[in-house]
Amino acid sequence: MAQRKIYELLVNEEDTRACRDIPDSACIKVPKNFVLVLLSQILLSLGDLLTSPKTVLTWLMSVVGAPAAMVAWLVPIRESGSMLPQLLIGAWVRRYAIRKTFWIAGSIVQGSCVLAMALVVSQWQGAVAGLAIIGLLVLFSLGRGLCSVAMKDVQGKTVPKGQRGQLTGIAGTVSGVLTLLVSLWLLRQEPDNLVVYIVLLVAAGLLWFSAAAIFSQVQEQPGETDGGANALQLAWQNLGLLKTDSHFRQFVLCRSLLLGSALVSPFLVVLAQQHHGNGQTLAWFLICASLASALSAVFWGKLADRSSRQVIIIAAAMALTGCAVLAALHLFVGQLALHGYLLLFLLLSIGHAGVRVGRKTYLLDMASGNKRTDYVSVSNSLIGVLLLVVGGISSLLAWWSLLAVLWFFAASCLAGLLYALKLPEVSQAD
């Protein structure tokens, strides 16, 4: 079969013979499922990069003349909006033995919202367009949250332990290479041409629909269910994991402190825009983001299958270095050349990619069955709340001093690194 040949080509020979942490009945279907999940992840990751709130949506809001105050909410809404409801979503999803349907539905919701954004920017301008984009982004985030809960559970049932990091890494690399090609095309376009953004949005929307069609072919084994359990009651009970499960609590604290690896990047882009606001800046930042994904994702993925803990530690150190160097240069040097901002953005992007791959693989490997679903929903819901809190703190600090924001995120990454050093091993090497 073609899927088996692709699977054997991509996965280490030793790992292709392994079938860790999944039902025996699912082992024979691993090659097909691995390839299908991989293709879905590639399309999803590419869509995410083409609609990034840090770059593309920010530029798009400026092009349509939306107020700057609306731009500030793009990242918090997209990230927290997909995480906050997951406590309830997780309790609801775990009532069903087959969960790929929820991922398919979430992907269709995301694709529909992105296509609707393309229609909005083609018809409206100013605050009206900005409000419509934000409203659609809220719905988009709900679909994203549904995909997040369902994907980790389906992947945990269909892809063996020791191969999950590789899958995530390969998907990140391929999507990064494809985004690089799009960025090079964008570099040749007129950056204020609205048609360019409409093309990006339509292409991204179609990617989500294609991913849903591919994912529908995954052969998922029925999992544990909770029957008719009340979602609200179950969600409240699951919050108790933070009190009773010290390992899980330590992981959530580490993940929370490493939020700075993602949230510092928009402030770097703002600094670059202030000093280098020419029309090609967006394309260069997209190129850096795609290079970071393409160059680091496979490395992070393979390392995560050996030790996801080590990935979190190394990536946290990189994020800390990027934040601290940016803060120090801003304090002592002031304005940097564009390539200086781009290099720091590349470092932070590689670090953040490592944090994402590391924490996803760590969470997949530290639990199984419904416990994995509970871990995902509780941690993501809590992170959604903290994103709004940290976003509010950084906004207040930015009114006072942008330098204070940079040092705040550097201190947060340092604390996250110290917590990562205390995490126990859960991956293949343990």
Side-chain angles (χ1 to χ4, degrees), residues 269-393:
V269 174
V270 167
L271 285 173
Q273 281 182 306
Q274 290 177 352
H275 304 300
H276 307 282
N278 62 73
Q280 305 303 325
T281 303
L282 168 62
W284 284 115
F285 275 110
L286 271 178
I287 288 172
C288 285
S290 56
L291 279 175
S293 179
L295 295 175
S296 68
V298 168
F299 166 76
W300 288 133
K302 290 185 177 180
L303 182 57
D305 283 331
R306 292 198 295 270
S307 173
S308 51
R309 172 181 174 270
Q310 288 296 324
V311 169
I312 297 174
I313 291 172
I314 296 171
M318 294 181 69
L320 169 61
T321 301
C323 291
V325 169
L326 178 61
L329 290 175
H330 184 62
L331 175 63
F332 296 110
V333 178
Q335 178 179 343
L336 300 180
L338 179 59
H339 66 266
Y341 290 114
L342 293 174
L343 287 174
L344 286 173
F345 184 81
L346 182 64
L347 176 64
L348 287 168
S349 297
I350 292 175
H352 179 57
V355 170
R356 284 174 58 86
V357 172
R359 64 156 173 88
K360 285 182 178 181
T361 308
Y362 194 94
L363 191 59
L364 281 170
D365 289 348
M366 73 184 289
S368 60
N370 275 344
K371 194 170 186 180
R372 181 189 292 120
T373 306
D374 294 340
Y375 279 176
V376 172
S377 59
V378 172
S379 62
N380 282 354
S381 294
L382 182 61
I383 294 299
V385 174
L386 291 176
L387 271 167
L388 294 178
V389 173
V390 175
I393 293 173

Side-chain angles (χ1 to χ4, degrees), residues 84-420:
L84 278 172
Q86 288 194 22
L87 196 60
L88 288 176
I89 290 175
W92 175 47
V93 167
R94 61 182 285 169
R95 297 169 61 183
Y96 297 86
I98 299 296
R99 294 160 187 179
K100 70 176 184 179
T101 307
F102 294 97
W103 193 95
I104 295 168
S107 186
I108 291 173
V109 168
Q110 291 177 87
S112 299
C113 289
V114 171
L115 291 177
M117 287 182 191
L119 181 62
V120 164
V121 300
S122 69
Q123 300 294 324
W124 297 335
Q125 292 285 315
V128 175
L131 286 172
I133 291 173
I134 289 176
L136 288 168
L137 193 60
V138 171
L139 294 176
F140 173 95
S141 298
L142 294 176
R144 195 165 183 255
L146 196 59
C147 284
S148 178
V149 171
M151 172 57 86
K152 289 183 176 65
D153 191 66
V154 174
Q155 189 174 334
K157 290 195 293 180
T158 57
V159 179
K161 187 175 183 178
Q163 300 178 26
R164 297 161 183 167
Q166 293 180 65
L167 187 150
T168 303
I170 294 169
T173 293
V174 175
S175 61
V177 171
L178 293 175
T179 307
L180 177 61
L181 298 177
V182 175
S183 303
L184 293 174
W185 169 79
L186 185 61
L187 197 62
R188 301 170 63 89
Q189 308 302 312
E190 174 55 46
D192 292 331
N193 185 357
L194 192 58
V195 175
V196 172
Y197 296 94
I198 294 175
V199 169
L200 288 179
L201 291 174
V202 171
L206 295 177
L207 287 172
W208 268 290
F209 284 115
S210 300
I214 292 173
F215 203 77
S216 67
Q217 303 303 309
V218 171
Q219 294 180 288
E220 176 191 1
Q221 293 291 312
E224 302 172 32
T225 68
D226 281 332
N230 181 274
L232 280 172
Q233 182 180 0
L234 191 57
W236 180 255
Q237 291 174 356
N238 287 341
L239 277 175
L241 288 170
L242 293 170
K243 180 179 180 180
T244 60
D245 193 326
S246 59
H247 185 186
F248 177 59
R249 182 172 63 249
Q250 190 173 3
F251 167 78
V252 172
L253 283 171
C254 177
R255 180 182 175 186
S256 302
L257 290 167
L258 291 175
L259 285 175
S261 68
L263 296 179
V264 72
S265 294
F267 292 96
L268 186 154
V269 174
V270 167
L271 285 173
Q273 281 182 306
Q274 290 177 352
H275 304 300
H276 307 282
N278 62 73
Q280 305 303 325
T281 303
L282 168 62
W284 284 115
F285 275 110
L286 271 178
I287 288 172
C288 285
S290 56
L291 279 175
S293 179
L295 295 175
S296 68
V298 168
F299 166 76
W300 288 133
K302 290 185 177 180
L303 182 57
D305 283 331
R306 292 198 295 270
S307 173
S308 51
R309 172 181 174 270
Q310 288 296 324
V311 169
I312 297 174
I313 291 172
I314 296 171
M318 294 181 69
L320 169 61
T321 301
C323 291
V325 169
L326 178 61
L329 290 175
H330 184 62
L331 175 63
F332 296 110
V333 178
Q335 178 179 343
L336 300 180
L338 179 59
H339 66 266
Y341 290 114
L342 293 174
L343 287 174
L344 286 173
F345 184 81
L346 182 64
L347 176 64
L348 287 168
S349 297
I350 292 175
H352 179 57
V355 170
R356 284 174 58 86
V357 172
R359 64 156 173 88
K360 285 182 178 181
T361 308
Y362 194 94
L363 191 59
L364 281 170
D365 289 348
M366 73 184 289
S368 60
N370 275 344
K371 194 170 186 180
R372 181 189 292 120
T373 306
D374 294 340
Y375 279 176
V376 172
S377 59
V378 172
S379 62
N380 282 354
S381 294
L382 182 61
I383 294 299
V385 174
L386 291 176
L387 271 167
L388 294 178
V389 173
V390 175
I393 293 173
S394 61
S395 296
L396 290 174
L397 288 174
W399 279 100
W400 172 48
S401 168
L402 192 57
L403 180 62
V405 177
L406 301 179
W407 285 120
F408 169 71
F409 285 131
S412 174
C413 288
L414 174 60
L417 173 60
L418 295 177
Y419 261 96

